[in-house]
Each structure stands twice: as C-alpha cells, then as structure tokens.
Amino acid sequence: MAEQSTPPAAPAAGHTARAEAAKPADAAKPDRAVVRDSLGVGVAVGLSGFAFGVTSVGAGLGLLQTCALSLLVFTGASQFALVGALAAGGNPFTAAAGAFFLGTRNAFYGLRLSQLLALPRALRPLGAHWVIDETTAVALAQPTRRAARIGFTVTGLTLYALWNLTTLVGALGAEAVGDTDAWGLDAAGPAVFLALLAPMLRSATDRAVAGLAVVLGLGFLPVLPAGVPVLVAALAAPAVLWLRGRREDRR
C-alpha cells in the first residue's frame, strides 16, 4: 500500500523535463527578440514617409494637409493612392474614394487582430488606428499573445512616429529632393510586407491563395479604380477554399 500511494519523484521530474524540451523553440521567444524585429520593420517602413511627404507636396497639397494625412489616415498605400490620383489630375472625390477602398482591407485585419490581441476596451480606438499591413504581419508572426501584443505595439509606435516625422521632413524638403522615384523609398513598405508574408506561406493552400490574389490584383489593376483591385484579390481565399472543399468531397 505504501509503495502504491507514494510514487517515486524521479520519473515525474523526468517527464516534466521531457515535456519542457518538447516545446517549440518559438514558444520561448524572448521579448527582446520581438522588440528587435518590430523595431527593424518600423524603421524600414517609417523612413518611406519621406517619399510620401515629397510626393504629396508635389501633387499640390500644402504642408498642413500632408501632415494631417499621415497623422489621421496613417495607411501608406491609401495616402500614396490619394496623392497619386491628384497628381494625375483626378477629381478629389474620386481620389478619396479610391484611397478609401484601398484602406478597407484594414477592417479585415482588425477582425483577426481583435481576437489575437484582445486589447482592453479603452485601448481599442488607439489600436484600431495602428492596424495596417506591417503591424498585422508582425503580430500574426508571433507564437504567443504576449509576443503578438509586444510586436504590434512596438511596430505601431515606431512606425507611426517615424512615418509622421519623415512626412514632415519630406514635405519641407520637397523642392530640394526632386523626383522621388529615383530614390525608391516608396517601395520600402511593400518590400518589407512581402518579406514578412513569405515565411507564413507554408502550405500548398496558402501559396495558392497568395498566387491567385496576385493574379487577380494585377489583372484588374488596369481596368478598375484605385483600391478596388485589392478588394477583388481578397476573393482568392474563398475561391481556393471552395475548390479544396470540392476536391475533398470527390475523394
């Protein structure tokens, strides 16, 4: 009876050690590593606000208007779409509509991040303002909720501060810079986003969705207003999942 009621401690300790060793390495990712990666993304993309400041002033917007766009809109793709349409001589309302449609993708990001981050109610308005491509990609790449919150916060804070600072600098120095296309700063944001997205395409389904989204986005780019091709590209996910479901039903 004594032997049955008092099991040896060594096997239990050994089992615990094996369980800890079996945990994925990413589950123990230190906070400093998350902060380092988030700072890298925030700095790399934040510097492209310089190109927006120059482009916006070149399109005819004033210094205050340019800075207000970065402070209040804070989604680079929509901002570039707006000033690009204005620079091409487009109607302001049409340009604003295109930028709005392009920015609606952030609403879909918010649906996913609201569950992942589970922010307190008082912080949700601030968090919603920082829901963009880069913060979403960094947060989704983290293994735990704590790491996701750190990644989202550090990326959002760094990117918001640098984006607005470089927007101001670019707007002030627009005449001295000249053609921003020669600098290539406007490509920094998309390049970083693709670099973050690529490692997440692990399964054949993920790659199929990404590939179809690229085809749809580029295919409809010449024929649809600015911002709408991005929404059309979002149909890639349900289309691929529907095809996969039909294939499984046949099997």
Side-chain angles (χ1 to χ4, degrees):
M1 294 294 292
E3 293 180 356
Q4 294 179 356
S5 60
T6 310
H15 176 74
T16 302
R18 288 192 300 270
E20 291 294 330
K23 289 182 178 181
D26 288 344
K29 187 175 183 180
D31 293 347
R32 62 178 178 275
V34 181
V35 172
R36 179 195 63 215
D37 296 342
S38 303
L39 285 174
V41 174
V43 171
V45 180
L47 293 177
S48 61
F50 181 82
F52 170 73
V54 175
T55 304
S56 179
V57 172
L61 296 181
L63 175 64
L64 293 180
Q65 292 172 317
T66 298
C67 292
L69 279 174
S70 286
L71 285 168
L72 302 177
V73 178
F74 186 54
T75 172
S78 295
Q79 292 177 230
F80 274 112
L82 175 64
V83 298
L86 293 177
N91 183 284
F93 294 102
T94 304
F100 172 79
F101 280 120
L102 190 58
T104 54
R105 72 193 187 282
N106 295 338
F108 297 99
Y109 295 160
L111 293 175
R112 178 67 183 93
L113 289 180
S114 64
Q115 300 176 356
L116 174 63
L117 301 177
L119 296 176
R121 186 177 299 272
L123 295 179
R124 289 176 187 175
L126 178 60
H129 192 51
W130 287 356
V131 174
I132 55 176
D133 295 334
E134 291 76 20
T135 55
T136 301
V138 171
L140 293 179
Q142 306 308 320
T144 63
R145 172 170 292 174
R146 172 182 172 82
R149 285 178 170 178
I150 294 175
F152 178 85
T153 303
V154 175
T155 304
L157 180 60
T158 306
L159 184 49
Y160 188 74
L162 271 181
W163 179 265
N164 283 281
L165 177 60
T166 55
T167 293
L168 174 61
V169 173
L172 291 173
E175 295 183 359
V177 172
D179 185 11
T180 57
D181 292 341
W183 295 73
L185 293 176
D186 55 336
V192 172
F193 180 70
L194 290 176
L196 292 169
L197 180 64
M200 302 175 67
L201 304 178
R202 299 172 181 174
S203 67
T205 301
D206 295 339
R207 292 189 289 270
V209 170
L212 181 58
V214 170
V215 172
L216 290 175
L218 294 179
F220 284 98
L221 187 62
V223 298
L224 293 178
V228 179
V230 175
L231 301 180
V232 175
L235 299 176
V240 170
L241 293 177
W242 179 76
L243 290 174
R244 191 181 71 172
R246 285 182 58 87
R247 180 182 299 177
E248 292 177 353
D249 291 341
R250 291 177 181 176
R251 290 180 181 177

